[in-house]
């Protein structure tokens, strides 16, 4: 068996998948001209600058510079090594890699092995707990509880809900019998080590909700205690495979519906998701018992234009909805907020008012009467904020009224849409009999707060956007040459003969060397195949240059002009040095030397103008 994937198999994989389909699973793409555009998944942005070329099978972000082909996209977005990316793409292309003894561990094999074992252990226990719930007397009380609250057997099976028995070592004995190291299982969050050195189950006498990552792998659990006691809910701790700030519950299944509708329903709890799905709302996801993180907001924005927040109807739920709405808005989502009456959460509302009513009202976003109160239709974010700002204020009193107007103006100033801004300004003016001009003058003083630097879940800053600046002529010439070289063997050979390695920018020299070698190996022009051979620091440059809007055929005159700029740049630098030497000689009153340098400069300029 081979220990690596042959080059021809990699080429077959690359040609067997469409990069638009691969990236389309992570980014909402829209076709514009020959390419597709969307919001970059590698840095926060509101205006799409992420381009995918089906013709060249590459991607490039003009905002942060990320770029590459289908392999590198998967490696970057999932944080996986090349072999793992190849395996996933091969599966999509229908190519069998079983003949190769592949090691996808990269340079950190032991860590990858541990993660694989942790996932396998979670999967084993998920099936074990589910079996106990639906097929044994031990799980009957838990099953009765779930069915009494309205969950059908089909729903219980779909979510693979289980039951952890009220014994200290059921999981310990099962894992040990399957040769899982107990030390590693403690690290995975499944077991707890006692002071006497014994291992016991972390979850006991609990209804078990498996948690999946976005690929569908089981990576954690949330356990609800059956009966009295504390804590009522216990979640898996943070582990190498489970970071709750980067995951959304049920996203692995909801992703398709979310992308199709271009809308996600965001709730707070596992029970809310399960009840909503049973009610027919399958585009729903939940956070993991914490506030919405930037990474979770970024994931939602990649897949949907609109996010409807439906949190608990109590004060804490309203505050959490405000924070989540702010987070989502910062990433360019169109946000709506639906507040439930009388402090109910979505699960309670469905059980009280019925699944059909919940599904209809959330989908239609119309006001409805329930329990003597009204569920707010999924209203625009600004309308929700203005309602929220009114709470606790007596608008008949001048002080509260002025405070409300100032706070409302501060929020209106954050709106990016001029139409939406004008709509709420007029609403304020009409409600309080104020002149629109006075409000706009006050609005100009209400500067929105500067956004905080974005960080990922690990606290590291995300890839910053690039700032564009005008480039000198020689640099533009080098970029054009490289762009044409990536499109044409003939151009590359001409440049190799006349320029060789004399590009003035080190990064350009390195890319040129790779292009020369690529064609010398007998390959035809293929930017995606070339990028498979480039180191990460050159892929950004290559993807950007490959998407430059240049003519397919370059004229001899244009080619010669670019080559002239590249070769003459060192001479212009030498001329500048001569100018400095002449100035220094004149400062020393060494006029003889200054005159000699001036004569040399005249000759150099003649040579440059004639070349």
């Amino acid at each position: 068996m081979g220990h690596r994937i042959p080059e021809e198999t990699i080429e077959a994989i690359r040609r067997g998948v469409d990069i638009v389909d691969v990236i389309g699973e992570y980014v909402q793409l829209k076709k514009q001209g020959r390419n597709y555009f969307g919001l970059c998944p590698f840095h926060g942005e509101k205006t799409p600058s992420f381009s995918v070329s089906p013709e060249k099978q590459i991607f490039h972000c003009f905002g942060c510079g990320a770029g590459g082909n289908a392999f590198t996209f998967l490696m970057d977005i999932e944080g996986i090594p090349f072999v793992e990316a190849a395996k996933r793409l091969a599966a999509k292309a229908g190519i069998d890699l079983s003949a190769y003894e592949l090691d996808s561990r990269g340079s950190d094999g032991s860590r990858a092995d541990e993660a694989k074992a942790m996932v396998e252990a979670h999967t084993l226990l998920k099936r074990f707990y589910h079996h106990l719930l639906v097929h044994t007397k031990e799980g009957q009380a838990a099953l009765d509880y779930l069915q009494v609250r309205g969950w059908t057997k089909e729903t219980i099976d779909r979510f693979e809900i289980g039951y952890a028995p009220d014994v200290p070592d059921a999981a310990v004995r099962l894992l040990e019998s399957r040769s899982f190291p107990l030390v590693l299982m403690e690290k995975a969050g499944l077991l707890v080590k006692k002071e006497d050195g014994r291992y016991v189950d972390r979850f006991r006498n609990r209804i078990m909700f498996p948690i999946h990552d976005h690929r569908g792998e089981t990576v954690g659990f949330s356990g609800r205690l059956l009966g009295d006691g504390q804590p009522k809910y216990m979640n898996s701790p943070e582990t190498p495979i489970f970071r709750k700030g980067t995951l959304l519950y049920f996203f692995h299944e909801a992703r398709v519906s979310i992308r199709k509708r271009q809308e996600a329903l965001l709730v707070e709890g596992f029970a809310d998701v399960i009840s909503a799905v049973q009610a027919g709302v399958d585009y729903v996801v939940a956070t993991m018992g914490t506030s919405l993180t930037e990474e979770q907001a970024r994931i939602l924005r990649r897949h949907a234009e609109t996010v409807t927040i439906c949190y608990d109807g109590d004060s804490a739920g309203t505050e959490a909805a405000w924070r989540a709405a702010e987070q989502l808005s910062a990433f360019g989502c169109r946000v709506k907020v639906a507040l439930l009456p009388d402090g109910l959460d979505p699960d309670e509302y469905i059980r009280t008012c019925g699944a059909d009513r919940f599904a209809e009202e959330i989908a239609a976003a119309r006001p409805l009467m329930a329990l003597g109160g009204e569920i707010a239709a999924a209203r625009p974010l600004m309308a929700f904020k203005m309602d929220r700002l009114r709470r606790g204020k007596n608008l008949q009193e001048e002080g509260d009224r002025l405070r409300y107007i100032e706070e409302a103006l501060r929020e209106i100033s954050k709106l990016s849409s001029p139409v939406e801004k004008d709509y709420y300004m007029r609403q304020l003016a009409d409600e309080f009999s104020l002149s629109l001009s006075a409000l706009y003058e006050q609005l100009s003083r209400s500067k929105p707060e500067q956004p905080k630097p974005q960080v990922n879940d690990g606290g590291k800053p995300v890839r910053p956007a690039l700032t564009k600046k005008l480039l000198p002529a020689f640099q533009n010439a080098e970029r054009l040459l490289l762009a044409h070289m990536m499109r044409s063997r003939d151009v590359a050979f001409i440049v190799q003969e006349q320029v060789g390695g004399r590009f003035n920018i080190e990064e350009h020299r390195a890319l040129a060397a790779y292009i020369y070698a690529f064609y010398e190996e007998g390959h035809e022009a293929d930017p995606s195949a070339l990028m498979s051979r480039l180191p990460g620091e050159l892929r950004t440059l290559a993807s950007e240059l490959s998407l430059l809007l240049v003519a397919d055929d370059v004229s001899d005159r244009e080619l010669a002009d670019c080559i002239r700029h590249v070769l003459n740049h060192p001479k212009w630098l030498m001329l500048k040095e001569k100018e400095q030497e002449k100035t220094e000689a004149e400062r020393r009153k060494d006029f003889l030397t200054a005159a000699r340098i001036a004569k040399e400069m005249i000759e150099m300029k003649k040579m440059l103008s004639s070349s």
Side-chain angles (χ1 to χ4, degrees):
M1 296 178 73
H3 291 268
R4 61 187 298 272
I5 307 174
E7 190 68 33
E8 57 269 21
T9 304
I10 293 174
E11 284 298 302
I13 294 170
R14 190 177 58 79
R15 295 181 185 279
V17 297
D18 185 350
I19 193 171
V20 175
D21 293 336
V22 174
I23 295 180
E25 294 183 7
Y26 299 85
V27 180
Q28 174 200 345
L29 297 173
K30 292 183 178 178
K31 191 170 186 181
Q32 296 180 19
R34 297 164 70 176
N35 295 340
Y36 289 80
F37 287 84
L39 294 171
C40 179
F42 301 112
H43 82 285
E45 62 178 8
K46 294 184 179 181
T47 304
S49 63
F50 182 83
S51 176
V52 183
S53 169
E55 178 185 350
K56 301 181 177 69
Q57 288 294 298
I58 63 170
F59 72 92
H60 180 77
C61 177
F62 294 95
C64 70
N69 57 18
F71 289 91
T72 55
F73 178 83
L74 274 186
M75 292 164 66
D76 290 344
I77 198 76
E78 294 283 3
I80 57 177
F82 176 81
V83 170
E84 180 61 28
K87 286 180 179 179
R88 296 191 192 179
L89 293 176
K92 290 179 180 293
I95 295 175
D96 184 10
L97 297 182
S98 60
Y100 309 109
E101 190 176 303
L102 300 176
D103 179 4
S104 62
R105 298 174 299 174
S107 61
D108 200 352
S110 61
R111 185 173 299 177
D113 284 343
E114 286 188 355
K116 181 180 178 183
M118 289 179 181
V119 170
E120 290 174 351
H122 276 83
T123 303
L124 174 65
L125 285 180
K126 173 184 69 176
R127 293 169 181 165
F128 173 63
Y129 292 145
H130 183 65
H131 174 78
L132 289 180
L133 176 71
V134 299
H135 295 299
T136 71
K137 292 182 179 180
E138 291 176 283
Q140 190 61 50
L143 183 61
D144 291 343
Y145 168 81
L146 295 174
Q147 291 177 335
V148 165
R149 72 179 296 162
W151 291 346
T152 65
K153 181 167 188 312
E154 291 74 19
T155 296
I156 293 169
D157 287 342
R158 178 174 184 178
F159 285 88
E160 301 175 284
I161 303 171
Y163 172 69
D166 192 15
V167 294
D169 59 351
V172 172
R173 285 185 279 114
L174 176 61
L175 293 170
E176 202 166 25
S177 71
R178 300 295 180 89
S179 301
F180 285 100
L182 298 188
V183 173
L184 182 61
M185 296 299 96
E186 179 194 15
K187 186 177 179 181
L190 297 172
L191 307 179
V192 176
K193 189 174 183 180
K194 307 293 284 185
E195 292 183 359
D196 60 7
R198 290 183 304 112
Y199 287 97
V200 296
D201 297 0
R202 177 179 293 275
F203 300 99
R204 284 176 278 173
N205 194 31
R206 290 182 180 272
I207 296 171
M208 301 295 286
F209 300 92
I211 301 171
H212 302 84
D213 64 16
H214 296 169
R215 291 176 288 170
E217 302 278 14
T218 307
V219 295
F221 290 102
S222 179
R224 186 199 186 280
L225 189 65
L226 192 63
D228 298 328
Q230 291 295 330
K232 183 178 179 182
Y233 281 94
M234 177 184 289
N235 297 327
S236 292
E238 296 277 312
T239 70
I241 63 170
F242 177 58
R243 293 187 298 137
K244 58 187 176 182
T246 66
L247 299 177
L248 289 162
Y249 181 68
F250 196 62
F251 183 79
H252 67 295
E253 287 205 30
R255 187 204 311 255
V256 174
S257 296
I258 289 172
R259 291 185 58 77
K260 185 177 180 180
R261 295 178 58 93
Q262 279 305 297
E263 180 179 4
L265 176 64
L266 179 64
V267 297
E268 286 187 287
F270 304 120
D272 297 333
V273 169
I274 296 168
S275 292
V277 171
Q278 185 169 281
V281 181
D282 61 353
Y283 55 100
V284 59
V285 294
T287 53
M288 300 286 174
T290 59
S291 297
L292 186 75
T293 66
E294 288 191 353
E295 179 59 26
Q296 290 167 335
R298 188 180 292 111
I299 290 166
L300 287 170
R301 182 60 187 96
R302 285 182 209 152
H303 293 81
E305 291 182 354
T306 301
V307 178
T308 299
I309 300 171
C310 187
Y311 282 3
D312 297 1
D314 57 14
S315 177
T318 304
E319 291 294 336
W322 180 297
R323 292 193 300 271
E326 292 274 68
Q327 192 81 275
L328 291 163
S329 295
F331 281 93
C333 290
R334 177 172 172 259
V335 182
K336 298 187 291 183
V337 182
L339 293 178
L340 301 174
D342 299 342
L344 296 177
D345 60 34
D347 174 51
E348 293 167 334
Y349 181 84
I350 290 169
R351 283 188 281 130
T352 304
C353 301
D356 292 342
R357 192 169 186 180
F358 176 82
E360 290 172 3
E361 295 304 331
I362 290 295
R366 296 190 305 266
L368 87 105
M369 300 303 295
L371 304 177
E374 187 175 329
I375 178 174
R379 297 165 296 165
L381 174 58
M382 192 60 219
F384 161 72
K385 285 185 173 182
M386 293 179 77
D387 283 350
R388 180 63 185 157
L389 291 174
R390 290 173 178 272
R391 295 191 182 184
K393 296 184 178 70
N394 180 357
L395 297 185
Q396 302 304 312
E397 294 184 1
E398 182 178 351
D400 280 2
R401 189 162 61 247
L402 289 173
R403 188 156 58 92
Y404 167 72
I405 293 171
E406 288 178 2
E407 291 174 353
L409 284 173
R410 192 176 303 118
E411 295 302 323
I412 292 172
S413 70
K414 299 176 184 178
L415 296 174
S416 57
S417 166
V419 173
E420 192 177 5
K421 189 177 292 186
D422 188 68
Y423 174 84
Y424 289 108
M425 290 290 282
R426 291 180 184 276
Q427 191 178 97
L428 270 183
D430 292 344
E431 182 177 2
F432 297 103
S433 301
L434 298 170
S435 73
L436 201 58
S437 59
L439 284 178
Y440 268 105
E441 182 178 351
Q442 182 66 26
L443 182 71
S444 65
R445 303 174 186 174
S446 302
K447 302 291 184 184
E449 295 180 6
Q450 293 296 316
K452 297 178 181 178
Q454 295 180 9
V455 296
N456 62 20
D457 192 61
K460 297 179 181 179
V462 300
R463 193 193 303 260
L466 299 176
T467 55
K468 303 295 182 182
K469 59 181 180 180
L470 292 175
L471 301 176
F474 84 92
Q475 190 170 347
N476 277 324
E478 293 189 358
R479 287 166 59 85
L480 284 172
L481 283 180
L482 291 166
H484 285 298
M485 288 164 64
M486 294 173 68
R487 289 167 168 79
S488 167
R489 283 173 58 106
D490 294 337
V491 170
F493 287 142
I494 292 172
V495 175
Q496 184 176 18
E497 181 180 345
Q498 298 188 31
V499 178
R502 288 178 288 174
F503 284 83
N504 296 283
I505 295 175
E506 183 178 356
E507 193 178 30
H508 293 175
R509 284 197 299 275
L511 179 56
Y514 275 97
I515 295 173
Y516 298 152
F518 180 73
Y519 289 128
E520 286 171 357
E521 291 172 5
H523 298 289
E524 294 298 324
D526 188 335
S528 179
L530 171 65
M531 283 184 205
S532 294
R533 293 158 172 78
L534 296 178
E537 61 270 18
L538 290 181
R539 283 201 302 267
T540 293
L541 172 65
S543 62
E544 180 185 0
L545 296 181
S546 182
L547 291 177
L548 283 180
L549 296 176
V550 297
D552 291 335
D553 296 319
V554 58
S555 67
D556 293 342
R557 180 174 180 179
E558 183 183 0
L559 190 59
D561 190 50
C562 287
I563 291 173
R564 179 175 57 82
H565 274 294
V566 173
L567 297 179
N568 282 349
H569 180 65
K571 299 172 185 177
W572 285 109
L573 292 180
M574 189 180 299
L575 189 63
K576 287 183 179 180
E577 291 179 3
K578 290 289 183 182
E579 178 68 37
Q580 292 175 350
E581 291 177 10
K582 174 175 169 288
T583 301
E584 179 61 23
E586 290 172 344
R587 188 186 64 79
R588 298 194 313 267
K589 300 188 184 301
D590 185 354
F591 298 113
L592 187 61
T593 300
R596 176 178 56 78
I597 294 174
K599 186 177 180 181
E600 292 174 358
M601 289 174 61
I602 292 172
E603 293 299 320
M604 290 176 66
K605 288 179 181 179
K606 286 181 180 178
M607 291 176 59
L608 284 170
S609 60
S610 62
S611 63

